[in-house]
Amino acid sequence: MPVDDLDAERAHLAASRNDLARMRRKVESLDSSTAGNWVSAEILDATLAQRLEQLADDPDVPLFFGRIDRSEAVGGESFHIGRRHISDSAGDPMVVDWRAPVSVPFYRASRTEPMGLAHRRRYGFSHGELTAFEDESLTEVGAGQEHSAILEAEIERPRVGPMRDIVATIQPEQDVLVRADLSQTIVVQGAPGTGKTAVGLHRAAYLLYAHRDQLTRRGVLIIGPNASFLRYIRDVLPALGEIEAKQATIAELVALHGAVRAEEPAAVATLKGDVRMADVLRRAVWSHVGSPEEALVVPRGSRRWRVPSSEAREALEGLRANDLRYAAARALLPRALAHRVLVQMERSGDSPDDRVHDAVARAKPVKDYAAALWPDLKPAKVLFRLFTDAAWLAEVASGVLTETEQEALLWEKPPRSAGTARWSLADLVLLDEIADLLDRTPSVAHIVADEAQDLSAMMLRALGRRSTTGSLTILGDLAQATTPWASSSWASALKHLGKPDGHVEQLTRGFRVPADVIAYAARLLPHIAPDLEPPVAVRRTRGDLTFTSSSVVEALGAALERPGSVGLIVPDAALADARAELTEAGLGFAEIGVSADEETEFDAHLDLVPASLAKGLEFDHVVVSDPVGIVAGEPDRDTGLRRLYVCLTRAVTSLVVRHSDLPGGLPEELGGVPERVGAKVGA
């Protein structure tokens, strides 16, 4: 590596940093004093504040990570590729945004398809300081792609703290998904370590760049399985200059209807998540619409106008046939009845206008008649009645739910009223469904939903109705499904989302989990997901796989001496014992899910992780304690084995499996300890 070239690249980095500071100073010099009114001033101030945040410079984060040199045949230009666009004082690019079309060849070019490139350069950094680079020729004769030590080092670089972006290491198959068209709904079936979460987040960043106005106006939503997971990924989009996307769990998505205040047996929650409940709720809502039995009489002046019950029934049925939401059709019923009155007025020789129409529709007899036929409904009251009125439930669930299932839905000890009811998460999702039957749910432009295999059909419907005019990126792994109501296939999930034509892409090339670790965990696949392709580790390092029957503290010993994050994953039932053992040994740690300081939840060197919250997280070094206990902690063995599969695939560098030395200390589906020499067995 020529020293002159390295010095030149360092100079370009310094100049780029100066230009970024100049761009920020220019924004800081602007104010809203020239705005025409206070509303414009507020909007301008918010826009400038957002722009300043996007131009923030962290000296420890490289401004660029690659360079492409085009061949002379297409102009011979060179571009540095980075996380955001930076231009010099003349407006020429110093760094090109990784999302720009010109950056695509950096990720996808190969010797067999160079895409107009002559060379590709990758840079090595240490704490923001450029230390090395390596060049790859795209025009040399020969198949295949040279091994990149810098790329491998970036993937394997130890980390402590929340998830970071992978913008410097995006692979060709990932880039295709990231840049897929906004109109396309995509399911990314990704094995552990394939980067599906990163793909989803980078896709959100790309779409915000490519469709800025549309997505900013209509919104981007990131859905995660729990609050800890959302805190784990919180820094990815801001690091890419994007702060527009909102993040939420399913519980937060439906929080308009209340907070989760109750738990219920898994069988009941599974029933409430069944798609058949959508039909039951639809029947329940529309069963409130009555049938006119008496005529409507409207006094006006000296006349009394009479609408026969048959005509009122026609007006009502006409509204129902228009496929309107319950509340929208209800609001139109008085006007539909008033129209029948105006027809009679015209036949008698009068010439009523729109003002007369409005006055008749607002008349008390019309409003009372319409309200009696089409009562106002509240979601909580509908669901409260459904869970407390056995006769009504039997009526609306007839032919849909069995008698046993109906009994399971009824409350043993009903609350006094809907206002005092303690709703479960499954209940809140049902309330959300009812609310949409009453009034249409607003749609956002794009939704990214991670760990979506764990969502029930009714949860998927909640996502789908928020994307009726938009698209989704669905991320998950059927082999990691750990809820009793999980999706059985992506085809069924897409149907529940209302996107049956969505595209399913399977990622099997693992860049994060070491080969020995993923091969060991994959022993479970024939038992938990026999139809999925097994993951393939593409890293050259096989990682460390160790088995031990020692204490928790002893099992952690070697990992704690190595750089990077350490995760101790234990059965949920063993949390208290593990906490006490770590405390007695004087080891500092943070506990995922109950951190006193949520902002620094992942900043500790050692994290204590309940098995139920391990999904989606990564650590450089992982100790999985008591695999048998993890399996036993779930309602059934299949779910337990999937939970164990999740826990075994959280490591980026090393995995220690701590198990009992008694017979049956490992689940039989794992087939015992591997015989490969590299798999070490502790005392």
Side-chain angles (χ1 to χ4, degrees), residues 381-667:
K381 290 185 177 180
V382 174
L383 196 61
F384 174 82
R385 183 185 174 194
L386 199 69
F387 289 168
T388 56
D389 187 337
W392 187 53
L393 174 60
E395 177 185 336
V396 298
S398 176
V400 180
L401 302 179
T402 66
E403 291 184 3
T404 301
E405 289 172 329
Q406 293 172 30
E407 291 175 4
L409 291 177
L410 293 169
W411 278 325
E412 291 184 8
K413 297 180 179 179
R416 292 190 303 274
S417 66
T420 60
R422 298 174 64 86
W423 304 111
S424 67
L425 175 57
D427 293 335
L428 294 181
V429 174
L430 296 181
L431 290 171
D432 195 68
E433 180 85 19
I434 297 172
D436 185 68
L437 289 166
L438 301 179
D439 290 290
R440 188 180 300 276
T441 303
S443 176
V444 301
H446 194 75
I447 296 175
V448 177
D450 206 349
E451 304 297 348
Q453 76 279 349
D454 280 340
L455 301 180
S456 69
M458 297 302 289
M459 291 174 180
L460 290 168
R461 286 175 60 87
L463 289 183
R465 56 179 158 265
R466 286 167 173 81
S467 189
T468 52
T469 60
S471 57
L472 304 100
T473 299
I474 302 299
L475 313 168
D477 180 8
L478 296 178
Q480 298 185 57
T482 52
T483 57
W485 48 81
S487 296
S488 58
S489 71
W490 291 122
S492 64
L494 285 167
K495 181 179 178 181
H496 299 320
L497 288 165
K499 307 289 184 181
D501 297 330
H503 172 67
V504 180
E505 186 72 26
Q506 189 169 174
L507 296 180
T508 58
R509 288 178 9 109
F511 305 97
R512 307 294 299 165
V513 185
D516 282 352
V517 173
I518 196 65
Y520 183 66
R523 293 182 176 190
L524 296 174
L525 284 178
H527 307 279
I528 60 176
D531 296 332
L532 292 182
E533 295 181 32
V536 177
V538 297
R539 287 168 49 186
R540 304 202 319 168
T541 54
R542 301 195 64 85
D544 296 335
L545 176 59
T546 305
F547 296 80
T548 183
S549 57
S550 64
S551 69
V552 166
V553 173
E554 291 173 326
L556 285 168
L560 292 175
E561 295 175 359
R562 303 175 69 173
S565 57
V566 181
L568 170 61
I569 303 176
V570 302
D572 287 31
L575 266 175
D577 291 342
R579 189 186 304 124
E581 193 168 345
L582 294 177
T583 302
E584 184 178 350
L587 296 178
F589 66 95
E591 186 172 334
I592 300 301
V594 295
S595 173
D597 183 0
E598 293 180 348
E599 292 302 311
T600 60
E601 182 175 4
F602 295 95
D603 292 339
H605 181 43
L606 170 62
D607 284 301
L608 175 59
V609 187
S612 61
L613 294 182
K615 190 173 296 180
L617 308 183
E618 283 184 348
F619 303 91
D620 291 292
H621 312 286
V622 170
V623 174
V624 172
S625 180
D626 189 10
V628 172
I630 290 174
V631 174
E634 299 298 328
D636 58 83
R637 189 162 185 84
D638 285 347
T639 303
L641 291 174
R642 293 192 185 102
R643 181 75 71 189
L644 179 58
Y645 181 71
V646 170
C647 297
L648 292 174
T649 54
R650 300 303 94 199
V652 176
T653 301
S654 72
L655 171 66
V656 176
V657 179
R658 178 182 173 271
H659 61 93
S660 168
D661 57 1
L662 298 175
L666 286 169

